[in-house]
């Protein structure tokens, strides 16, 4: 921004405005320097957290002239893994690791080792890959209300984000084929403000319009507001089961009926709850309708690598019928390299992850998922009641296993930092400022819930009794939550990603 040039132009129009512009122009360099210093300070704190091995482990900014021995490489990898193990293995993380038992991890590792060369792109070489993925989809579809006739179909993806991206692309392409709009308008995704940010990513990637709808005081989608948002360009409505931030289950039945009555798609994002809610319902917990038993639901996403207890890197996207699924595929008939098709975004894919996913599902079985869910929900109840007993905190909504808490008495981001200093990796939220813990099997181990609550009580006292500092994530979240200049927040995030890729 050349403020001096702007001031010069304004001087020809209005001397008072020009004078004000000149004052701003003089201040801009100082302001820019101040912002840069603040960026540097924040990023320095982040760098200490994400680059802790500098000076302690060898850094390879370029290939070594002579390759290291395999023993040396394995020793280095084992050393780093050993340093990182306690936080996730001992239950200090919100979500992230959903099973984590040593015998289960060893089992998945063995399956991966046996299938490490498997690539589903080459089904002629590895027909086992097609077997694994077809059965993963079928088992997930059956669990989520699909009939035995195969009326619900899908594909295996690399994670929840890809499942959501593919579903949104599918609705865009179906609408394009039906010529649902003309001119300059774009196909619209209508979703509650709490829906996962992957829907925004899909809109940006695929040239769609994202329409965010307010939620109620219970953090569930507002049906009336959704109705008002449904313009002629809407091609899909979204609901969460539950939402990532607050663990709230949207009114799927009402939202799906809105979509059905207008002849458009409805997507239930069950990435987080797909492998919990069916078993919670069987255990007698209050679970509203959310899956393919709801007539208007036309697609779903469910992450096998979360509460499906597979290794990281698999999810499932499901559709009501093969005709809808076909809009997801990519095919090419005129390429000199031959006939080509790909069901998902990737071409070659790590089939060993699909094999490990299949193994996790068939080894766990209905009885295993039911027992795991029982333990998780009982522990979540203990944690929720413990949070509600802390006077300075309150729980957002009415969650089952993703428990978000806020405060009107203390800076909740200072609580987040105080918990981090005690080893906890929790999720900071905003709009409103809050923190959440996603309860997993790691938290059901003896003493973990009690340790969490004891540390949380101490963290609240620390945030209440000691003034805020400039360190930690509190100032970062404070900036994100209060700055009207969203470009500054965006710039900080991009610099953080740059930092991650710095050797």
């Amino acid at each position: 921004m050349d403020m001096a040039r702007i001031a010069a132009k304004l001087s020809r129009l209005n001397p008072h405005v020009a004078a004000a512009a000149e004052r701003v122009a003089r201040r801009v360099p100082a302001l820019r320097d101040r912002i840069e210093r603040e960026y540097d300070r924040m990023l320095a704190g982040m760098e200490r957290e994400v680059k802790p091995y500098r000076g302690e482990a060898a850094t390879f900014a370029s290939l070594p002239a002579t390759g290291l021995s395999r023993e040396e490489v394995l020793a280095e990898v084992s050393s780093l893994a050993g340093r990182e193990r306690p936080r996730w293995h001992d239950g200090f993380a919100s979500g992230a690791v959903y099973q984590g038992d040593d015998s289960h991890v060893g089992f998945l590792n063995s399956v991966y080792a046996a299938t490490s060369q498997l690539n589903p792109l080459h089904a002629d070489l590895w027909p086992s890959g097609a077997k694994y993925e077809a059965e993963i989809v079928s088992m997930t579809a059956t669990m989520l209300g699909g009939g035995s006739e195969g009326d619900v179909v899908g594909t295996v993806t690399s994670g929840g984000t890809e499942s959501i991206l593919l579903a949104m692309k599918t609705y865009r392409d179906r609408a394009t084929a039906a010529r649902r709009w003309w001119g300059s308008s774009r196909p619209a995704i209508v979703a509650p403000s709490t829906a996962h940010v992957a829907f925004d990513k899909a809109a940006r990637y695929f040239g769609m319009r994202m329409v965010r709808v307010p939620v109620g005081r219970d953090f569930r989608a507002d049906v009336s507001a959704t109705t008002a948002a449904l313009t002629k360009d809407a091609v899909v409505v979204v609901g969460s089961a539950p939402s990532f931030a607050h663990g709230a289950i949207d009114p799927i039945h009402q939202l799906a009926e809105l979509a059905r009555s207008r002849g458009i798609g409805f997507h239930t994002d069950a990435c987080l709850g797909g492998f919990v809610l069916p078993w919670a319902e069987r255990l007698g917990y209050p679970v509203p309708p959310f899956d393919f038993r709801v007539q208007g639901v036309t697609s779903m996403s469910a992450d096998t690598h979360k509460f499906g207890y597979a290794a990281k890197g698999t999810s499932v996207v499901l559709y009501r019928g093969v005709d809808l699924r076909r809009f997801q595929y990519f095919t090419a008939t005129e390429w000199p390299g031959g006939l080509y098709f790909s069901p998902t975004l990737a071409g070659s894919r790590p089939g060993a992850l699909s094999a490990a996913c299949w193994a996790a599902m068939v080894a766990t079985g209905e009885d295993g998922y039911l027992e795991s869910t029982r333990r998780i929900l009982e522990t979540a109840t203990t944690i929720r009641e413990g949070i509600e007993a802390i006077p300075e905190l309150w729980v957002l909504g009415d969650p089952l296993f993703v428990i978000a808490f806020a405060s009107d008495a203390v800076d909740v981001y200072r609580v987040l930092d105080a918990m981090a200093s005690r080893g906890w990796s929790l999720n900071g939220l905003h709009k409103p400022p809050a923190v959440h813990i996603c309860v997993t099997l790691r938290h059901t181990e003896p003493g973990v819930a009690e340790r969490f609550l004891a540390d949380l009580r101490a963290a609240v006292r620390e945030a209440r009794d000691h003034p805020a500092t400039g360190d930690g994530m509190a100032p970062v979240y404070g900036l994100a939550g209060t700055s009207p200049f969203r470009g500054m927040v965006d710039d900080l995030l991009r610099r953080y990603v740059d930092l991650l890729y710095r050797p």
Side-chain angles (χ1 to χ4, degrees):
M1 179 186 297
D2 189 343
M3 291 299 299
R5 189 168 58 185
I6 293 173
K9 288 183 177 180
L10 288 172
S11 65
R12 294 192 293 270
L13 301 174
N14 187 317
H16 299 291
V17 173
E22 288 174 0
R23 289 195 295 272
V24 171
R26 287 194 296 271
R27 293 174 183 172
V28 162
L31 178 61
R32 188 177 293 123
D33 289 344
R34 181 179 175 184
I35 291 173
E36 286 293 331
R37 288 195 300 271
E38 188 65 15
Y39 278 158
D40 290 343
R41 186 187 64 77
M42 289 182 175
L43 288 167
M46 296 176 188
E47 188 166 13
R48 288 191 294 271
E49 181 177 342
V50 299
K51 301 290 181 180
Y53 305 127
R54 284 188 178 150
E56 300 179 26
T59 297
F60 297 94
S62 59
L63 285 170
T66 302
L68 278 64
S69 70
R70 292 176 178 175
E71 291 76 16
E72 288 179 282
V73 174
L74 286 172
E76 181 74 345
V77 170
S78 297
S79 173
L80 297 181
R83 289 179 59 170
E84 293 166 357
R85 173 184 165 88
R87 289 186 74 189
W88 65 260
H89 184 268
D90 296 345
F92 283 98
S94 168
V97 176
Y98 294 83
Q99 216 280 0
D101 178 76
D102 288 342
S103 63
H104 181 76
V105 172
F107 168 63
L108 297 186
N109 289 345
S110 297
V111 174
Y112 189 97
T115 57
S116 65
Q117 301 307 298
L118 196 163
N119 183 356
L121 184 65
H122 301 286
D124 56 334
L125 283 175
W126 292 284
S128 60
K131 166 186 166 62
Y132 296 139
E133 294 200 340
E135 293 177 14
I136 290 166
V137 169
S138 182
M139 287 188 285
T140 306
T142 302
M143 180 185 68
L144 293 173
S148 58
E149 303 82 12
D151 57 326
V152 174
V153 299
T155 64
V156 175
T157 73
S158 64
T161 291
E162 188 183 2
S163 290
I164 289 169
L165 289 174
L166 287 170
M168 298 303 102
K169 172 202 171 295
T170 294
Y171 289 116
R172 183 202 67 176
D173 290 358
R174 182 176 72 166
T176 299
R179 296 183 62 83
R180 281 189 59 91
W181 69 89
W182 295 264
S184 60
S185 60
R186 293 184 294 160
I189 303 167
V190 179
S193 61
T194 51
H196 198 278
V197 72
F199 292 99
D200 295 275
K201 194 173 189 178
R204 190 176 302 179
Y205 278 11
F206 301 132
M208 303 175 76
R209 186 164 61 90
M210 189 70 193
V211 180
R212 288 284 187 173
V213 178
V215 296
R217 294 174 61 86
D218 58 359
F219 297 94
R220 301 168 73 234
D222 185 314
V223 178
S224 297
T226 303
T227 304
L230 289 176
T231 65
K232 63 180 180 62
D233 298 330
V235 297
V236 60
V237 179
V238 172
S240 304
S243 61
F244 168 83
H246 312 116
I249 302 173
D250 287 324
I252 301 297
H253 189 278
Q254 295 95 313
L255 296 173
E257 178 57 27
L258 281 177
R260 190 195 65 79
S261 67
R262 286 160 174 77
I264 61 177
F266 181 86
H267 183 85
T268 298
D269 175 19
C271 285
L272 197 52
F275 280 80
V276 174
L277 298 182
W279 315 111
E281 182 180 356
R282 285 178 55 171
L283 289 166
Y285 286 84
V287 177
F290 74 99
D291 60 15
F292 285 103
R293 292 172 294 176
V294 177
Q295 185 179 4
V297 171
T298 53
S299 64
M300 293 186 68
S301 48
D303 283 359
T304 43
H305 68 192
K306 288 188 172 75
F307 292 98
Y309 307 133
K312 280 297 179 186
T314 61
S315 175
V316 174
V317 58
L318 299 171
Y319 299 100
R320 192 184 293 276
V322 294
D323 290 342
L324 182 56
R325 179 176 62 177
R326 286 174 183 164
F327 286 106
Q328 176 183 298
Y329 301 160
F330 173 81
T331 58
T333 60
E334 305 302 323
W335 180 44
L339 300 176
Y340 182 89
F341 65 88
S342 177
T344 60
L345 293 179
S348 291
R349 292 183 290 122
L353 290 177
S354 294
C357 175
W358 176 88
M361 293 177 71
V362 298
T364 302
E366 289 190 0
D367 59 338
Y369 286 119
L370 198 65
E371 173 60 16
S372 295
T373 302
R374 181 191 64 77
R375 292 170 57 193
I376 288 167
L377 296 182
E378 288 179 356
T379 300
T381 297
T382 298
I383 290 175
R384 174 177 172 171
E385 291 175 350
I387 294 172
E388 290 173 333
I390 300 174
E392 293 87 351
L393 303 181
W394 52 279
V395 171
L396 280 63
D398 185 22
L400 275 176
F401 62 97
V402 181
I403 305 164
F405 54 91
S407 178
D408 296 323
V410 296
D411 182 348
V412 76
Y413 299 137
R414 288 277 294 128
V415 175
L416 176 67
D417 282 339
M419 289 295 282
S421 70
R422 290 164 171 80
W424 293 93
S425 176
L426 305 178
N427 291 91
L429 316 172
H430 65 182
K431 299 181 179 181
V435 173
H436 89 204
I437 179 170
C438 175
V439 181
T440 72
L441 277 175
R442 292 290 84 206
H443 303 116
T444 69
E445 294 297 311
V448 175
E450 291 74 17
R451 180 180 67 203
F452 171 81
L453 293 170
D455 284 347
L456 183 60
R457 288 189 289 268
V460 169
R461 288 195 299 271
E462 182 177 326
R464 183 191 63 205
D465 297 341
H466 298 283
T469 67
D471 298 323
M473 293 301 294
V476 178
Y477 276 104
L479 173 68
T482 61
S483 174
F485 305 109
R486 308 316 293 168
M488 292 174 57
V489 181
D490 181 84
D491 190 29
L492 180 62
L493 294 176
R494 293 176 188 275
R495 291 176 186 229
Y496 178 76
V497 179
D498 289 341
L499 172 62
L500 295 178
Y501 281 95
R502 193 179 303 158

